[in-house]
Amino acid sequence: MHPPVLEGNLAQPVIRRLNAMRQLSERGIALLQQAIQDGLHRARPGEDLATEGDPVDSVRIILSGWLCRYKTLADGRRQIVNFVLPGDSCDACVYLLSVMDHSIGALTPVTYADIKRPVFEQLLASDRSLEEALWCETMVSSAIQREWTVNIGRRVALERVAHLLCELYERLLPVGMIDGDSCLFPITQMDLADATGLSVVHVNRTLQELRGSGLIVLRDRILTINDLKQLKDTALFSADYLHTKRHG
Amino acid sequence: MHPPVLEGNLAQPVIRRLNAMRQLSERGIALLQQAIQDGLHRARPGEDLATEGDPVDSVRIILSGWLCRYKTLADGRRQIVNFVLPGDSCDACVYLLSVMDHSIGALTPVTYADIKRPVFEQLLASDRSLEEALWCETMVSSAIQREWTVNIGRRVALERVAHLLCELYERLLPVGMIDGDSCLFPITQMDLADATGLSVVHVNRTLQELRGSGLIVLRDRILTINDLKQLKDTALFSADYLHTKRHG
DNA sequence: CGTCTCTTTGAGTCGTCTCAATCGGCGTGG
DNA sequence: CCACGCCGATTGAGACGACTCAAAGAGACG
């Protein structure tokens, strides 16, 4: 049903992402690709891949599209706690906890592999490099979560939005989704607001400020970063927390 | 140098904490206790167990005392991203990342076990229940981190401080550090401010408000929660994210 | 008894929010 | 092909939550 050559392409972001954490063995890559091919799924924008309170029984690996993890308060306030990008895994290990404590929603059309728990465990057990890479990715995800806490807790609006843009840029880079200094940026200002803990109105004004100082262009779902260095400076951004090993 | 019977007591919070995640085997407990005895250390208040940028080569398990994980911005702003309580581990797996992306500071006198990476890996490899419990604990720590993002991003000051108090109460409970409706609460209002993303002055006024409505008493480093239910209500608190299995 | 840290209080400022309305693009149905 | 409705982006204006600055209590400690 899916020609193998196409699947190979689909798995590219995952392999690139994991390779950046730990050099994957040939065998590991093959096993991973097989597992991905066997579990292909799609989701539409707005659809939830998982909802707070759901039992967890499988791991999802994102092949294309953007998602977000979010939590909702009783009165409707929503906080996006992280974005999930191509190559990321959803809850590589959260299945150790039996219930989801947050929801995962698709922001765009999404392609992902759904790998059932036993299959996933076998995958981890059969290749050491794969196991380490996937744990590593989970740890990086925690590190990102910590930085978000800092971002929302201690940065002012301008810094905060700038920081988020820097992070997304740096995360999209290793999976090959940056074209020059531009990338697709499929999220609304409302999403941005829920991710930064700001109001939509203020996000709008903050973006205008960033545009006004010539740092970025954001139009028609395309983000262009004109001056990455200065954007990082205004964001007080350091990429260390992403633990991206630079290698050849 | 340390009588075995005393060490057994020291390890109690850890064992209780891990047992709440996964039922530990007798063997697992014995191995753990041995590792803890072999790696006992102390730290003074204000001392850093680890600093952002440090290489990671060991895992720490907290036996007594309070610590915090924190990050500092270039201009001195500080954000506490989590508290570390007795029974918690520091970076059970962060050693998969070679460098610390945050610091860990002692808020009180601390007793902890420092377990070197090879010893720790052997520990995980030799008992399945121990391995699962420790991973589980790491996952819960991530879940807490997500909730902090929500707390700081979407709750107002009163809710935010109340939520933190509820969380600490619920986390201290399973390790036996709650006495009736009171507990030692050794952190300053400045720490509270850095943890909630508020200013010290505002934390002070918020605490007064909580006191004024009779929900809590906080004096001389002792916190008493007079009305837990109402405190949880004002905090919009649900303990689900702590993944604490209730079991007889 | 002086010093240091933590807590508390007062007063004024400012960042961010809320409410409200307009504008623009896009898909759908008449 | 046009009108309507919807969603997202934008703008204006006023309100308020939280911040900063400043200074004064209050314990703890040597």
Side-chain angles (χ1 to χ4, degrees):
Chain A
M1 39 200 257
H2 295 285
V5 60
L6 179 61
E7 306 323 332
N9 289 338
L10 272 179
Q12 274 315 309
V14 187
I15 294 168
R16 292 172 84 154
R17 177 96 165 78
L18 292 180
N19 254 329
M21 319 260 53
R22 286 283 190 283
Q23 183 67 47
L24 294 184
S25 68
E26 287 298 325
R27 180 149 175 283
I29 292 179
L31 288 168
L32 183 61
Q33 278 184 325
Q34 186 59 50
I36 288 174
Q37 273 184 50
D38 293 346
L40 277 184
H41 284 75
R42 291 177 195 285
R44 303 162 164 281
E47 192 177 321
D48 277 356
L49 264 71
T51 304
E52 199 173 335
D54 279 0
V56 188
D57 64 342
S58 63
V59 173
R60 278 99 167 197
I61 299 183
I62 308 306
L63 308 173
S64 72
W66 289 40
L67 305 89
C68 66
R69 299 173 191 272
Y70 67 92
K71 300 185 83 165
T72 309
L73 299 186
D75 62 1
R77 277 173 284 179
R78 182 177 82 134
Q79 176 71 41
I80 293 178
V81 297
N82 214 334
F83 288 110
V84 186
L85 306 178
D88 288 347
S89 312
C90 281
D91 314 298
C93 353
V94 166
Y95 67 80
L96 282 170
L97 311 175
S98 44
V99 173
M100 290 292 295
D101 56 62
H102 61 282
S103 305
I104 301 180
L107 300 169
T108 68
V110 165
T111 318
Y112 67 97
D114 184 297
I115 306 178
K116 293 294 171 200
R117 177 171 175 157
V119 177
F120 186 73
E121 286 185 321
Q122 204 188 343
L123 199 60
L124 290 194
S126 45
D127 185 80
R128 179 82 181 147
S129 68
L130 208 50
E131 184 190 13
E132 288 211 350
L134 281 159
W135 282 118
C136 232
E137 203 239 291
T138 304
M139 293 300 98
V140 170
S141 169
S142 292
I144 292 174
Q145 201 63 55
R146 281 190 288 271
E147 186 61 36
W148 277 50
T149 307
V150 178
N151 199 31
I152 298 177
R154 283 301 180 219
R155 287 193 183 87
V156 299
L158 186 71
E159 300 166 342
R160 212 183 290 181
V161 173
H163 191 279
L164 180 55
L165 298 184
C166 289
E167 176 183 306
L168 290 171
Y169 178 88
E170 293 284 343
R171 288 174 62 189
L172 290 169
L173 203 49
V175 287
M177 307 204 62
I178 300 287
D179 176 23
D181 48 5
S182 298
C183 62
L184 280 177
F185 196 81
I187 61 185
T188 67
Q189 295 186 4
M190 213 186 93
D191 297 328
L192 234 33
D194 284 342
T196 52
L198 299 167
S199 68
V200 195
V201 172
H202 204 60
V203 163
N204 182 280
R205 290 182 170 130
T206 304
L207 285 174
Q208 287 177 48
E209 200 176 337
L210 287 171
R211 286 196 196 98
S213 50
L215 295 181
I216 66 163
V217 176
L218 178 51
R219 275 193 45 186
D220 302 328
R221 306 279 113 111
I222 293 178
L223 170 69
T224 303
I225 298 184
N226 289 327
D227 190 338
L228 183 59
K229 163 141 185 24
Q230 207 182 329
L231 188 65
K232 287 183 176 176
D233 285 350
T234 75
L236 296 155
F237 180 89
S238 156
D240 295 342
Y241 72 97
L242 294 172
H243 297 272
T244 311
K245 261 183 297 190
R246 311 285 174 194
H247 53 142
Chain B
M1 38 200 259
H2 295 284
V5 60
L6 179 60
E7 307 322 333
N9 288 339
L10 272 179
Q12 274 315 307
V14 187
I15 293 168
R16 291 172 85 154
R17 176 95 165 80
L18 293 180
N19 254 329
M21 320 259 52
R22 286 284 190 282
Q23 183 68 46
L24 293 184
S25 66
E26 286 299 325
R27 179 149 175 282
I29 292 178
L31 289 168
L32 184 62
Q33 278 184 325
Q34 187 58 50
I36 287 174
Q37 274 183 50
D38 293 347
L40 277 184
H41 285 76
R42 289 177 197 284
R44 302 164 164 280
E47 191 177 321
D48 277 354
L49 265 71
T51 306
E52 198 172 336
D54 279 0
V56 187
D57 64 341
S58 62
V59 172
R60 278 100 167 196
I61 299 183
I62 308 306
L63 307 173
S64 72
W66 289 40
L67 305 89
C68 67
R69 300 173 190 271
Y70 67 93
K71 301 185 82 164
T72 309
L73 298 187
D75 63 1
R77 278 174 282 179
R78 181 176 82 135
Q79 176 71 42
I80 293 179
V81 296
N82 214 335
F83 289 111
V84 186
L85 306 178
D88 288 347
S89 312
C90 281
D91 314 298
C93 351
V94 166
Y95 67 80
L96 282 170
L97 310 175
S98 44
V99 173
M100 290 293 294
D101 56 62
H102 61 283
S103 306
I104 301 179
L107 300 170
T108 67
V110 165
T111 318
Y112 67 97
D114 184 297
I115 305 178
K116 294 295 170 200
R117 177 170 174 158
V119 177
F120 186 73
E121 285 185 322
Q122 203 186 343
L123 199 60
L124 291 194
S126 45
D127 186 80
R128 179 82 182 147
S129 68
L130 208 50
E131 184 190 15
E132 288 212 348
L134 281 159
W135 282 118
C136 232
E137 203 239 290
T138 304
M139 294 298 98
V140 170
S141 169
S142 292
I144 292 174
Q145 202 62 55
R146 282 189 288 272
E147 187 62 36
W148 278 49
T149 307
V150 178
N151 199 31
I152 297 177
R154 283 301 180 219
R155 286 194 184 86
V156 298
L158 186 70
E159 300 166 343
R160 211 183 289 180
V161 173
H163 191 278
L164 180 55
L165 298 184
C166 288
E167 176 184 306
L168 290 172
Y169 178 88
E170 293 285 342
R171 288 173 62 188
L172 290 170
L173 204 49
V175 287
M177 307 202 62
I178 300 287
D179 175 24
D181 47 5
S182 298
C183 61
L184 280 178
F185 196 81
I187 61 185
T188 68
Q189 294 186 6
M190 213 186 93
D191 296 328
L192 234 32
D194 284 342
T196 52
L198 299 166
S199 67
V200 195
V201 173
H202 204 61
V203 163
N204 182 279
R205 291 183 169 128
T206 304
L207 285 174
Q208 287 178 47
E209 200 177 336
L210 287 171
R211 287 195 196 99
S213 50
L215 296 181
I216 65 164
V217 176
L218 177 52
R219 276 192 46 187
D220 303 329
R221 306 278 114 112
I222 294 177
L223 170 69
T224 304
I225 298 182
N226 290 327
D227 190 338
L228 183 58
K229 164 143 185 24
Q230 207 182 330
L231 188 65
K232 287 183 176 177
D233 285 349
T234 76
L236 296 155
F237 181 88
S238 156
D240 295 342
Y241 73 98
L242 293 173
H243 297 273
T244 311
K245 261 183 297 191
R246 311 286 175 192
H247 52 141

